[in-house]
Amino acid sequence: MLLSRVRVAPTCRTLLSHNLRSVSTLSTNPHIKVFPNATISNSHLLTYLPTNPPTPRLAIGSTTLIPPTPASFTENPAFLSLLTDVLRRHAAQDPYLIAQAQALAGPGGATLGSGGAFFPQQRQRRRRGEAGLGGGGGAGGGGAGGASAQGGAGGGGVGGHVHLSDLRNPPDYGRIAWPEDILGSIEVDARGEIVGEFQPSGTYRVVTNEGILGLSDFLRTKLIERLIEEEKNE
C-alpha cells in the first residue's frame, strides 16, 4: 500500500515514529517535540523526549501558541533545575565554550567585548531589574560573570570569565550577548583554560522573541541523556 503525502502546517514538522504515531517538532527548533497538554485545553507541552504521552515534569514548559512566544510560554521549574545541573556538570567540557576561553586568553582577547576594555577577575554586577533564580524562564543562579567577547572579564593573557550563551541569537564577534540569552559564566585563567565552576546568570529566558532554548550539540546531548535517565525513574 502506498502512503499519500500529507501537507504539514509551517509551524511544525511531522515525524513518523516506529509505532506509526506522528510526533510534531518545532520548525524553529526541530530538536524540540510538541505534544498536546492533557491538563490544559488549547495548550501544548514542549519536550526533548519523544515519549508519548510526555512526562510533564521533564517538559521544557507549556505554550498556548506554536511556535511559542514569551507571552504564550510557561516555564517548567523542574526542567530548569535539571538544565542548570547539567550545565554545572558539563559546560566546562563544551567545545564551543572551550574555544571562547582560548580566544579570550589570546593576544587579541583584551580588545574583545563591548567597549574593548576589560577589568581582570572583576565580577559583573547584576543589572537593575534583571530576574533572579528562574525569573522570566531562566536557568537561575547567582548572576556571576564578567563582560567580555562572548562574555567575561579579562582577556589578552590575563584571564577572567566567559559567558555560555544561547545559540538562538549569537552576538556579533566581540560583542556581549543580551542578558536573556546568557545561560551563565565560567572562570578562565591566563592560559585560556577553564578553571572555575559554571555559574548560572539568573537572567536567562527559555523563550524570547528570537526563539526557544538553543544549546550546542554537546550540551543538548548531555541534557537529553539526563532527561532519559530521569524518565526511567518515573
Side-chain angles (χ1 to χ4, degrees):
M1 180 183 294
L2 296 177
L3 294 176
S4 59
R5 293 184 176 180
V6 179
R7 193 171 185 179
V8 181
T11 54
C12 291
R13 299 176 180 176
T14 300
L15 304 176
L16 204 60
S17 62
H18 294 297
N19 61 0
L20 298 182
R21 288 186 177 182
S22 61
V23 178
S24 296
T25 62
L26 292 177
S27 62
T28 53
N29 189 330
H31 301 289
I32 297 176
K33 282 73 174 174
V34 182
F35 292 99
N37 190 342
T39 60
I40 303 176
S41 60
N42 299 319
S43 178
H44 307 272
L45 288 179
L46 306 179
T47 176
Y48 277 110
L49 301 180
T51 307
N52 190 3
T55 304
R57 184 178 73 86
L58 303 179
I60 300 170
S62 62
T63 180
T64 55
L65 294 175
I66 298 295
T69 67
S72 74
F73 179 77
T74 300
E75 67 182 30
N76 175 13
F79 172 83
L80 293 174
S81 295
L82 289 173
L83 172 61
T84 301
D85 189 58
V86 168
L87 295 179
R88 283 197 174 111
R89 292 171 182 263
H90 301 291
Q93 292 85 47
D94 180 32
Y96 184 73
L97 194 62
I98 291 173
Q100 292 181 55
Q102 293 172 346
L104 176 64
T111 64
L112 298 177
S114 178
F118 293 95
F119 304 92
Q121 306 301 334
Q122 180 177 355
R123 290 175 179 261
Q124 181 185 26
R125 293 183 179 179
R126 184 178 300 175
R127 294 182 178 88
R128 181 176 299 177
E130 290 181 350
L133 180 63
S148 97
Q150 181 60 5
V158 179
H161 294 80
V162 289
H163 289 328
L164 176 64
S165 301
D166 195 299
L167 299 182
R168 66 189 168 208
N169 186 30
D172 294 334
Y173 183 75
R175 295 291 181 180
I176 192 171
W178 292 103
E180 61 264 31
D181 293 324
I182 298 176
L183 289 150
S185 305
I186 198 164
E187 187 177 356
V188 177
D189 66 14
R191 298 186 302 274
E193 296 179 0
I194 294 175
V195 294
E197 296 183 355
F198 175 82
Q199 298 292 329
S201 69
T203 64
Y204 177 73
R205 295 175 64 90
V206 176
V207 174
T208 69
N209 290 328
E210 301 297 330
I212 191 171
L213 175 63
L215 299 173
S216 67
D217 291 341
F218 174 81
L219 291 177
R220 184 178 63 252
T221 297
K222 293 298 182 182
L223 176 59
I224 292 175
E225 289 175 352
R226 175 65 180 276
L227 292 172
I228 291 174
E229 290 179 4
E230 294 288 330
E231 189 176 58
K232 290 178 181 178
N233 296 327
E234 286 291 317

